[in-house]
Amino acid sequence: MSDCRVCAGPLTEFLDLGTQPNSDAFPRPDETDGEFFFRLAVGRCASCTMVQLMEEVPRERMFHRDYPYHSSGSSVMREHFENTARLLLATEATGPDPFVVEIGCNDGVMLATVGAAGVRHLGVDPSQGVADEARAKGVRVRTAFFEESTALGIAADDGRADVVYAANTLCHIPYLDSVFRGLDALLKPDGVFVFEDPYLGEIVERTSFDQIYDEHFYFFTARSVRNLARRHGFELVDVARLPVHGGEVRYTLARRGTRVPTPAVAELLAEEESRALADPATLERFAADVRRTREELVALLTELRGQGRRVVAYGATAKSATVANYCGIGPDLVSAVYDTTPAKQGRLTPGSHIPVHPSEAFGDPYPDYALLFAWNHAEEIMAKEREFRAGGGRWILYTPAVRVL
């Protein structure tokens, strides 16, 4: 693409991460011939500053019945979403008959808390498997992609919503014009749209280029979100920095003129200005840092292989597809990946074809080194696998820099 999907302004590419597979498509050992690949590159809009992918992957290839990610798979994330639900119930869903809608509800971990409080709710998710898990928790779910027609149907069936919430979902949706028309149709006049997604400022700061993969189409800043909101009659009225998933921001949007933005909005905008976060030069430096990380990580793994060390990886994450394929890391450098997700076990990592084993087998026997793909859950994983380090095992991390613990 050469035009911005938000405002049709000109896009300038600043980072090419090469040919990549669907990040969550873990093939069986006998299914590798049919893999889908695309060019993963990132650009910046000169008009609205939105950072976005240069090529769009069809949504049906990513979000389908067998989508393997589960929001409740981490105890840290379960607690985060339960606390988020309580926050929304205390601050936004406070009317006589409040209604909360979640875009991309996944396995229902957030809405289960809303439902337990007796509050009307509805989740919208296109992936049948996780939607069924949400229903098993007592969560109402509509299996669909969220767009204008979906929102109109919800409003007709259930009335308008006090809160529409989305976590790690809005950045997945290229067609934001339809989403915002849907929000306008679904939200009450004083309703709010609250969403949280990976923050470009953290990605640049941490050189966490693995946050860039097929599912993450947009990379938000307060400035680009404000520009986006204003194009559709909304205003950015609050922001909050979040520690989850390697650093996110929770944005709150309301119809223009209905709320006064909090001081936090001006503070984050000023911080982005002082960091020149949206400037092309900043993004070019980030791209150079990414290339240096690749060189250093491959050099380290090659050196360990030469020493006869056994190196594995921990966490068959979606973002690890970017690292493995961009850096050319396959079974010759990393012999296996250990993961807690049953749907990924016994399969191969996308594109790089590293065997995925259950995390319970990580210590049978322990490797010499473990490359931590799931670095955003480092504290939780290292606490769980403390015997690995106690026995002399060493973790390899690559963000914000390549290093061995």
Side-chain angles (χ1 to χ4, degrees):
M1 294 186 301
S2 58
D3 296 333
C4 174
R5 284 297 301 268
V6 172
C7 73
L11 286 180
T12 301
E13 182 178 314
F14 63 85
L15 177 62
D16 184 350
L17 292 167
T19 301
Q20 294 279 345
N22 282 140
S23 61
D24 260 322
F26 289 78
R28 300 180 191 278
D30 60 349
E31 295 177 337
T32 56
D33 290 342
E35 282 186 282
F36 170 85
F37 289 89
F38 73 107
R39 189 175 79 94
L40 181 60
V42 196
R44 170 194 176 272
C45 175
S47 298
C48 73
T49 74
M50 184 69 77
V51 171
Q52 59 204 272
L53 297 189
M54 301 296 293
E55 185 172 328
E56 179 183 345
V57 175
R59 64 188 187 180
E60 293 81 4
R61 286 192 172 273
M62 298 181 287
F63 310 111
H64 44 73
R65 171 178 288 276
D66 298 322
Y67 184 62
Y69 179 76
H70 291 69
S71 297
S72 58
S74 158
S75 61
V76 171
M77 294 310 299
R78 287 197 300 273
E79 182 180 4
H80 169 75
F81 287 124
E82 289 164 2
N83 289 338
T84 299
R86 295 186 188 102
L87 175 66
L88 295 176
L89 292 173
T91 59
E92 302 295 347
T94 58
D97 181 25
F99 180 37
V100 177
V101 174
E102 182 177 9
I103 305 173
C105 67
N106 198 262
D107 60 13
V109 61
M110 194 284 288
L111 285 181
T113 301
V114 174
V119 172
R120 282 196 308 128
H121 64 275
L122 181 70
V124 182
D125 202 293
S127 302
Q128 184 72 48
V130 290
D132 285 344
E133 293 190 30
R135 293 185 181 100
K137 296 182 173 78
V139 174
R140 291 181 62 231
V141 183
R142 180 177 292 216
T143 304
F145 288 98
F146 186 90
E147 51 200 346
E148 183 180 12
S149 59
T150 318
L152 288 169
I154 295 169
D157 293 343
D158 294 282
R160 303 181 89 178
D162 298 82
V163 183
V164 175
Y165 172 75
N168 307 302
T169 299
L170 193 70
C171 70
H172 294 183
I173 307 175
Y175 48 92
L176 291 180
D177 52 347
S178 179
V179 169
F180 272 87
R181 288 195 300 270
L183 290 169
D184 191 42
L186 180 55
L187 282 170
K188 292 177 180 177
D190 59 347
V192 293
F193 176 42
V194 180
F195 69 98
E196 51 195 65
D197 276 303
Y199 179 49
L200 181 64
E202 291 285 357
I203 294 172
V204 170
E205 178 87 11
R206 298 171 184 253
T207 319
S208 52
F209 67 95
D210 57 352
Q211 296 273 33
I212 302 168
Y213 53 93
D214 55 349
E215 295 177 11
H216 288 178
F217 189 84
Y218 293 109
F219 303 90
F220 297 126
T221 63
R223 179 178 174 182
S224 65
V225 168
R226 184 179 64 173
N227 291 341
L228 168 67
R230 287 177 172 176
R231 290 185 62 83
H232 297 281
F234 286 80
E235 187 65 48
L236 177 62
V237 296
D238 198 14
V239 294
R241 302 289 287 268
L242 305 173
V244 297
H245 281 314
E248 298 194 335
V249 170
R250 178 183 292 143
Y251 305 92
T252 301
L253 308 185
R255 288 187 177 84
R256 191 176 301 175
T258 60
R259 298 198 183 193
V260 177
T262 68
V265 174
E267 291 168 5
L268 187 53
L269 288 167
E271 178 185 326
E272 293 177 357
E273 183 71 21
S274 67
R275 293 177 57 188
L277 185 56
D279 287 7
T282 300
L283 299 176
E284 291 291 347
R285 285 194 297 273
F286 166 68
D289 291 340
V290 171
R291 291 188 287 270
R292 183 176 63 251
T293 296
R294 176 177 61 178
E295 293 171 1
E296 293 177 356
L297 181 57
V298 171
L300 172 61
L301 295 175
T302 302
E303 178 184 358
L304 293 174
R305 179 183 61 185
Q307 295 172 356
R309 304 291 189 178
R310 179 171 171 248
V311 181
V312 304
Y314 202 107
T317 59
K319 61 181 179 291
S320 68
T322 296
V323 180
N325 288 277
Y326 177 62
C327 297
I329 299 170
D332 58 327
L333 294 176
V334 173
S335 61
V337 183
Y338 293 86
D339 193 271
T340 60
T341 308
K344 299 177 182 180
Q345 296 162 4
R347 295 178 177 251
L348 304 176
T349 57
S352 53
H353 300 163
I354 303 170
V356 181
H357 300 312
S359 59
E360 292 80 8
F362 179 56
D364 188 25
Y366 283 122
D368 299 305
Y369 291 82
L371 175 61
L372 188 55
F373 281 146
W375 55 263
N376 50 310
H377 298 295
E379 184 176 345
E380 184 177 355
I381 290 170
M382 290 181 184
K384 175 186 174 184
E385 304 291 358
R386 60 173 59 91
E387 290 184 14
F388 165 61
R389 202 165 178 184
R394 304 181 74 183
W395 294 101
I396 299 172
L397 291 95
Y398 50 87
T399 177
V402 175
R403 63 199 189 282
V404 177
L405 299 185

